[in-house]
């Protein structure tokens, strides 16, 4: 009986010491990426959960959808976010001489702090360009399912097209 107890104790010790796969937690409370181009406007929201939200604004119809990110994709995303030091970047990179160029907006929320990075007309630092390309590859792997759920994507004013001017009012004599 004593030998069995020692055997199982040693076996338990070895089994509990095996290498466990480390899964990094999501580094932000929320991470929203938005893109506006001539033929499309969308935003995508990542949170600490395994659900990713997508909001297509243009072309019509406006649509909300979601995808469940698998463990491999989540690890890839977490690594990408941890390797990019967003604090070192300015809040605006824009070339206002060019019109109708690609626009990106990154909104980060963590522990009550918010940071936005606005990118317009290819003025992003190379590190942010690589980040955006990698994020696009992750987005391309996701399979989005339409939903009626309302999702808060935060402040998108800087990327949304301006509303049309009001219609002229005719004076009645």
């Amino acid at each position: 009986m004593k030998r069995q107890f020692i055997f199982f104790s040693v076996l338990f010790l070895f089994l509990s010491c095996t290498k466990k796969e480390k899964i990094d937690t999501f580094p932000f409370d929320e991470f929203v990426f938005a893109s506006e181009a001539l033929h499309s406007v969308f935003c995508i929201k990542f949170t600490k959960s395994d659900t990713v939200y997508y909001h297509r604004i243009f072309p019509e119809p406006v649509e909300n959808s979601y995808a469940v990110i698998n463990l491999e994709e989540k690890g890839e995303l977490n690594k990408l976010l941890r390797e990019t030091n967003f604090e070192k970047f300015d809040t605006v990179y824009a070339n206002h001489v060019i019109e109708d160029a690609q626009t990106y907006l990154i909104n980060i929320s963590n522990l009550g702090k918010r940071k936005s990075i606005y990118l317009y007309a290819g003025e992003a630092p190379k590190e942010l360009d690589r980040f955006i390309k990698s994020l696009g590859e992750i987005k391309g792997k996701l399979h989005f399912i339409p939903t009626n759920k309302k999702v808060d994507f935060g402040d998108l004013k800087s990327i949304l097209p301006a509303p049309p001017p009001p219609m002229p009012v005719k004076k009645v004599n």
Side-chain angles (χ1 to χ4, degrees), residues 33 36 90-95 101-106 117-125 128-129 132 159:
F33 174 77
E36 185 266 333
D90 290 333
T91 55
V92 175
Y93 294 94
N95 181 346
Q102 179 80 43
T103 305
Y104 299 110
L105 178 66
I106 297 170
I117 303 172
Y118 176 81
L119 308 151
Y120 178 73
E123 289 298 312
L128 279 178
D129 277 339
I132 290 167
I159 200 160

Side-chain angles (χ1 to χ4, degrees), residues 28-91:
F28 305 113
D29 293 333
E30 293 179 349
F31 183 90
V32 176
F33 174 77
S35 173
E36 185 266 333
L38 207 51
H39 299 288
S40 71
V41 180
F42 72 87
C43 49
I44 188 166
K45 180 178 184 177
F46 300 93
T47 63
K48 290 185 180 288
S49 77
D50 60 353
T51 305
V52 177
Y53 297 99
Y54 179 80
H55 182 60
R56 184 184 67 210
I57 300 163
F58 182 78
E60 297 281 339
V62 173
E63 182 178 87
N64 285 329
S65 54
Y66 73 95
V68 177
I69 192 167
N70 68 35
L71 197 57
E72 180 183 324
E73 292 160 342
K74 189 157 185 126
E76 188 179 333
L77 175 65
N78 289 347
K79 181 180 181 209
L80 178 65
L81 292 171
R82 288 184 188 284
E83 289 176 348
T84 307
N85 180 6
F86 295 100
E87 290 300 316
K88 75 178 184 179
F89 296 112
D90 290 333
T91 55

